[in-house]
Amino acid sequence: MKKQLICLIGPTSVGKTEHAINLAKELNTEILSCDSRQIYKEMRIGTAVPEPSQLESVKHHFIATESIHNYYSVYQFELDALQKSAELFKKYDKLVLTGGSGLYLNALIYGMDDIPDPDPEIRRNLEIRLQKEGLESLRFDLKRLDPEYYAEVDLRNPKRVMRGLEVCLTTGQTFSHYRNRSARERPFAHKIICLDRERSSLHSRINKRVDLMVEAGLIEEVKSLFPHRHLNALKTVGYRELFEAFDGKLSIEEAIELIKRNTRRYARRQITWNKRYKKAQWFDAAEADNLIALTKDYLNQE
RNA sequence: GGGGAGAUACCAAAGUGGCCAACUGGGGCAGACUGUAACUCUGCUGGCGUAUGCCUUCGGAGGUUCGAAUCCUCCUCUCCCCA
């Protein structure tokens, strides 16, 4: 029997953590997290890392394992998760994967193209150029250096334009040359389960969770990270808004409201992303009682 | 009791005779996205499955006009000031 990775995904606050733990217990296995922010050990409250008791009840991987001060990316995650899963599959037939970062999930189940790391110097220069010369100028270069990618990218999206350019500039090859986007063979099968729930219910859970984070000390956590606000890891819902409040641009109350709003938006983007998995099985997370049964049925279908 | 201001779509708020189904912002919805991805970007938001099309809107009821959210009359409600 082929090893199986059971991917439990869904928007933030939908109830993934709890369900994943129940499922992992039921299957007697461990959990891999695919979350680009819970992986940072400095950001616990604002990223809703599982409770210590939850982390104890089932072994979790890739939670609070990296530092915001180190460079980390999807590609890194692909390598780490591949290695970890291979190790765990020696012991288990099934593993549970859960988390909110769609691209991280893709990296593990389909793989990322092998593209050299960008030269940090080049990346920095591009950022400066964007500031000074504007997007137009970067587009101009991209058109010249990689017309193929130029024809595909969203030209209004500075991040994507810069990404193409930085690869061209550091490697001397076109970005398109590296970007095959073909799925890799994996030594395990995967099943995707998408959790969702009525929008109003999701929103009230988000609001409540943000309030709980504040009670749990979110403001202090963010304050302690204030000196590092420029780091990429801290460009995150829940942190960014409070940084603005510390700057005096917002009141704390306004920042909290904004966190709620931005979390709702984030959740919506996650749902949109999840719709790309055409073979995924969708469940309503509100049916907590029989979710495990439904899931087991689904897994047994084959 | 007297004087003044105002009622616009889910909310806030422009518009003060035709270019208005109605600026803009918020909220909401939808979408894109292979190395910063909780990032970044895009579209829609009165109804009619699509529409250079039709229908119903700008507190209510009438009226003026070829034509009104915009002008007039009355009514209802809200707010502010004086008593």
Side-chain angles (χ1 to χ4, degrees), chain A residues 110-129:
Chain A
Y110 302 131
M112 302 291 288
D113 290 323
D114 206 355
I115 302 174
D117 280 337
D119 181 339
E121 190 69 25
I122 288 175
R123 176 174 282 195
R124 214 169 311 124
N125 285 338
L126 285 173
E127 271 159 24
I128 293 168
R129 277 190 56 197

Side-chain angles (χ1 to χ4, degrees), chain A residues 14-38:
Chain A
V14 79
K16 294 186 295 293
T17 300
E18 197 189 337
H19 187 50
I21 288 171
N22 290 339
L23 187 62
K25 278 182 183 165
E26 186 71 26
L27 300 172
N28 205 7
T29 185
E30 304 185 11
I31 293 177
L32 298 177
S33 163
C34 68
D35 194 297
S36 72
R37 300 291 128 116
Q38 289 185 358

Side-chain angles (χ1 to χ4, degrees), chain A residues 16-188:
Chain A
K16 294 186 295 293
T17 300
E18 197 189 337
H19 187 50
I21 288 171
N22 290 339
L23 187 62
K25 278 182 183 165
E26 186 71 26
L27 300 172
N28 205 7
T29 185
E30 304 185 11
I31 293 177
L32 298 177
S33 163
C34 68
D35 194 297
S36 72
R37 300 291 128 116
Q38 289 185 358
I39 200 167
Y40 294 113
K41 57 187 170 208
E42 294 89 348
M43 303 163 66
R44 282 176 165 269
I45 299 173
T47 60
V49 160
E51 296 296 314
S53 61
Q54 292 179 309
L55 292 174
E56 263 169 47
S57 66
V58 172
K59 178 100 178 120
H60 283 66
H61 302 273
F62 305 115
I63 285 194
T65 52
E66 298 295 321
S67 166
I68 55 172
H69 300 289
N70 298 332
Y71 178 77
Y72 200 79
S73 75
V74 216
Y75 183 57
Q76 203 57 240
F77 177 78
E78 178 185 350
L79 301 178
D80 292 347
L82 226 39
Q83 189 189 13
K84 180 59 75 180
S85 59
E87 184 186 307
L88 293 172
F89 274 133
K90 286 179 187 161
K91 193 168 161 193
Y92 305 102
D93 288 332
K94 295 184 196 306
L95 289 176
V96 173
L97 176 87
T98 192
S101 304
L103 190 61
Y104 278 44
L105 170 64
N106 266 26
L108 179 55
I109 63 180
Y110 302 131
M112 302 291 288
D113 290 323
D114 206 355
I115 302 174
D117 280 337
D119 181 339
E121 190 69 25
I122 288 175
R123 176 174 282 195
R124 214 169 311 124
N125 285 338
L126 285 173
E127 271 159 24
I128 293 168
R129 277 190 56 197
L130 178 68
Q131 292 270 329
K132 286 188 179 164
E133 303 167 27
L135 184 54
E136 194 60 36
S137 164
L138 299 184
R139 278 202 287 238
F140 182 80
D141 282 8
L142 184 65
K143 188 174 191 174
R144 196 165 43 83
L145 292 173
D146 189 350
E148 192 183 335
Y149 183 60
Y150 181 86
E152 289 171 21
V153 247
D154 177 356
L155 292 168
R156 286 175 291 196
N157 189 329
K159 293 258 163 139
R160 305 280 121 88
V161 170
M162 284 203 289
R163 172 63 184 153
L165 266 183
E166 73 178 12
V167 173
C168 294
L169 292 173
T170 74
T171 64
Q173 284 277 5
T174 63
F175 182 46
S176 325
H177 165 81
Y178 291 103
R179 215 171 68 116
N180 305 308
R181 309 212 283 167
S182 51
R184 297 279 171 80
E185 271 300 307
R186 301 267 100 131
F188 51 83

